[in-house]
Amino acid sequence: MEIATETERKYDVPATFELPDLVGAGAIAGVDGAEIHDLDATYFDTEDLRLMRNRRTLRQRSGGNDAGWHLKTPGDGSGRTEHRLPAEGDTVPDELVAVVRAIVRRRPLAAVARLRTHRVETPLRDADGRTLALVAQDQVRAESEGVETTWQEVEVELVDGDATVLDEVEQRLFEAGARPAEGPSKVARALADRLESLNKRKKIKGKVNPVLRYAREQRDAIVGWDPAARRGEPRAVHQMRVATRRLRSTLKTYKQWFPESDLRDELRWLAAVLGAVRDPQVLEEKLLGLVSDAGDEFAPASMRIREHLEHRIETGRAELVTALDSDRYLNLLDRIDELVDTRKLEIPDPVERARRVLAKADLKLDEALDSGVEEEIHDSRKGFKQARYAIELIEPDCGKPAKRLVKALTALQDGLGAYQDSNIAREVLRELGQDSFHFGVLYGRQEQVGRETLAEVPALARAARRRKVRRVF
């Protein structure tokens, strides 16, 4: 499967629209070599248009230079991510279904619209002949549920240019009578009435409880990071795991209103599956950095660490994909939807609840530092993580005081985490090199790191308890 980033802008144009002269717009020096394509695209979605409502489009298209299956998903803000596969058969390929599995769940994907487009595609080249962008003049005929609509539009897609090319071209298009497109895509325009009706049903009336708002944000993050996590991308695995932990922590903090303890257990399971990939990724980066700093004579240790942790990462990735394709995971997502989309909550004072969780975390840390027991110190970190999430939840309503406290708690949590990481790193070093001098040296250095990071915790705790930081809490 080919994955690419697509950056384009769309414009509605009148029937009499003519493409203006674009030579001289920025670095554009030539506009010759236009091609004509007749495109025929069938779009697929669930009956309730779950893909469209989650900003995804799935189609099979013939004609043009990129015929085949295309799945477009939200990108990083500057463009969209497009997944492409050759056009083989009329059934949606399993590889593309996997990318949207967390959204469609068990719902069948079927044709929801057909779009036929007559396209005139003009390359915009610089003085060296590089294609900076492509301008497509489209005459569109869309069919959905027996209704046909027609319109014209223009697309400008970046190739080797940058955003300034889009800005320069856009100005000239506006001067020629173009205007920003009504919808984000052609199929969204074709299905506008159905989408509007479904979105009205989904819209939440009245003020949203902050607990449900936060829980929904975590649900959306889990679903959003799912595709990249399946590929084992470190950031996606990390963010999906964090969202899972945040949601589980919220259910624990407000367990009086969310008594489903087995759901928290299922979230713990998902976090553990993600952790089986993420933890060795973090350890590998940490330990290989440690070995690199130690000198070339530690190269054999580096090889042993890499082999061990890469094996764990690959095993974890395989188990993660299996888990994300399982009924257990899909059932979990369904239950989360039911929990956060249908429940009405009347929580008297989330701020007071956050105070209680924070006070409990303070007490746990004091007791752990007095005892010096590693397990108790680790538990105190979990307590501050729960407190931080509880304060994150009310940050939109409490503003800067909450933001300031979240920042201080994050620093404290990171300090406790660094101590825990050093303990885990020592366990791996002990496991891999019980009779090795080099591993013994590395173990000793990690032991020193552990002592140093733990020594910094009291100062981080005092900073998080300053009156200015705790002013509201």
Side-chain angles (χ1 to χ4, degrees):
M1 180 164 59
E2 181 184 354
I3 302 177
T5 298
E6 177 186 71
T7 303
E8 64 182 13
R9 296 181 188 177
K10 298 175 182 289
Y11 307 91
D12 290 335
V13 296
T16 57
F17 180 83
E18 292 185 8
L19 193 68
D21 182 9
L22 297 175
V23 173
I28 298 171
V31 293
D32 59 313
E35 296 182 354
I36 296 176
H37 303 288
D38 287 304
L39 313 175
D40 192 341
T42 300
Y43 286 79
F44 292 77
D45 207 331
T46 61
E47 185 179 359
D48 58 351
L49 303 182
R50 291 176 72 90
L51 292 182
M52 293 292 299
R53 289 190 289 119
N54 284 276
R55 301 169 56 214
R56 272 81 172 166
T57 58
L58 172 63
R59 73 185 178 205
Q60 184 186 38
R61 189 170 76 182
S62 61
N65 298 317
D66 61 347
W69 288 94
H70 305 149
L71 170 65
K72 295 186 180 184
T73 62
D76 59 4
S78 61
R80 302 193 76 193
T81 300
E82 185 171 86
H83 305 72
R84 303 169 184 157
L85 283 171
E88 297 179 357
D90 296 326
T91 304
V92 181
D94 290 342
E95 297 96 319
L96 294 182
V97 175
V99 178
V100 295
R101 174 69 69 194
I103 295 173
V104 302
R105 315 283 167 80
R106 302 175 183 84
R107 297 166 180 81
L109 291 165
V112 294
R114 181 182 182 186
L115 274 66
R116 280 170 281 193
T117 304
H118 179 73
R119 169 169 290 181
V120 179
E121 189 173 73
T122 304
L124 308 179
R125 297 190 175 94
D126 64 10
D128 296 325
R130 284 190 314 139
T131 299
L132 303 177
L134 294 170
V135 175
Q137 298 168 265
D138 292 340
Q139 295 178 343
V140 186
R141 184 159 49 113
E143 300 172 35
S144 178
E145 295 187 321
V147 177
E148 183 173 293
T149 54
T150 60
W151 69 90
Q152 294 190 60
E153 65 178 53
V154 169
E155 291 183 6
V156 185
E157 180 179 353
L158 280 184
V159 180
D160 288 329
D162 56 29
T164 59
V165 175
L166 295 179
D167 294 338
E168 295 282 351
V169 171
E170 181 172 85
Q171 185 58 40
R172 296 205 180 185
L173 291 177
F174 284 164
E175 292 171 357
R179 63 184 187 277
E182 289 184 5
S185 65
K186 291 181 176 66
V187 69
R189 182 167 181 165
L191 298 170
D193 291 343
R194 287 179 63 184
L195 282 169
E196 184 179 3
S197 175
L198 289 166
N199 286 331
K200 279 182 179 178
R201 276 186 249 163
K202 186 181 178 183
K203 191 173 181 180
I204 301 168
K205 296 180 180 180
K207 187 177 179 180
V208 179
N209 183 282
V211 177
L212 287 179
R213 177 184 62 204
Y214 189 75
R216 287 174 188 140
E217 288 171 358
Q218 308 322 313
R219 183 270 313 275
D220 294 344
I222 291 170
V223 172
W225 288 109
D226 175 292
R230 289 172 183 269
R231 299 192 296 270
E233 294 182 13
R235 181 166 181 259
V237 175
H238 171 67
Q239 294 293 348
M240 189 174 178
R241 186 189 190 189
V242 168
T244 303
R245 285 174 162 176
R246 281 178 168 141
L247 181 55
R248 180 172 174 267
S249 178
T250 301
L251 300 187
K252 180 180 179 182
T253 298
Y254 295 95
K255 59 186 176 183
Q256 179 179 343
W257 294 270
F258 298 106
E260 298 89 343
S261 59
D262 61 321
L263 182 55
R264 297 201 299 273
D265 291 340
E266 290 301 279
L267 288 166
R268 183 191 290 113
W269 161 75
L270 179 58
V273 174
L274 291 161
V277 180
R278 184 58 184 158
D279 287 343
Q281 286 175 337
V282 173
L283 259 179
E284 182 178 41
E285 181 179 353
K286 180 182 181 67
L287 291 180
L288 291 182
L290 179 68
V291 173
S292 177
D293 292 341
D296 293 340
E297 66 271 23
F298 286 77
S302 175
M303 185 177 301
R304 195 183 302 181
I305 290 169
R306 190 186 304 274
E307 288 176 354
H308 173 75
L309 292 176
E310 282 293 335
H311 175 71
R312 282 179 55 183
I313 292 170
E314 289 306 312
T315 300
R317 282 176 176 167
E319 293 173 351
L320 176 59
V321 171
T322 299
L324 297 183
D325 282 336
S326 70
D327 285 337
R328 183 177 184 178
Y329 174 61
L330 298 180
N331 289 337
L332 172 58
L333 294 180
D334 287 343
R335 290 189 63 192
I336 295 172
D337 283 349
E338 182 180 358
L339 192 76
V340 303
D341 286 336
T342 63
R343 183 164 303 194
K344 295 184 182 297
L345 288 182
E346 293 295 336
I347 298 178
D349 189 356
V351 175
E352 179 58 32
R353 188 65 195 147
R355 284 195 192 104
R356 292 181 184 181
V357 174
L358 182 55
K360 186 176 179 180
D362 286 336
L363 181 60
K364 270 189 174 183
L365 178 61
D366 291 342
E367 292 174 347
L369 292 178
D370 286 342
S371 70
V373 176
E374 181 181 316
E375 186 176 345
E376 292 184 11
I377 295 172
H378 181 50
D379 284 343
S380 71
R381 182 192 178 212
K382 293 179 182 178
F384 277 110
K385 191 178 294 186
Q386 182 184 357
R388 191 189 105 201
Y389 295 157
I391 295 163
E392 279 182 354
L393 185 153
I394 55 178
E395 186 177 325
D397 302 311
C398 294
K400 288 184 179 179
K403 186 175 183 179
R404 186 163 48 239
L405 181 52
V406 166
K407 183 178 180 180
L409 293 179
T410 300
L412 174 55
Q413 184 185 319
D414 288 346
L416 291 165
Y419 171 71
Q420 177 66 11
D421 288 347
S422 73
N423 293 335
I424 295 172
R426 291 205 309 275
E427 290 176 9
V428 173
L429 293 171
R430 185 191 300 116
E431 177 185 352
L432 293 180
Q434 292 183 357
D435 302 321
S436 166
F437 167 77
H438 293 113
F439 275 89
V441 172
L442 296 173
Y443 184 96
R445 292 184 180 180
Q446 270 305 296
E447 200 168 33
Q448 179 64 25
V449 168
R451 285 194 294 267
E452 291 173 354
T453 54
L454 184 59
E456 294 171 358
V457 168
L460 293 170
R462 287 193 298 272
R465 296 180 187 185
R466 286 185 303 164
R467 183 175 299 178
K468 181 180 178 181
V469 174
R470 296 281 181 101
R471 189 174 61 190
V472 177
F473 301 91

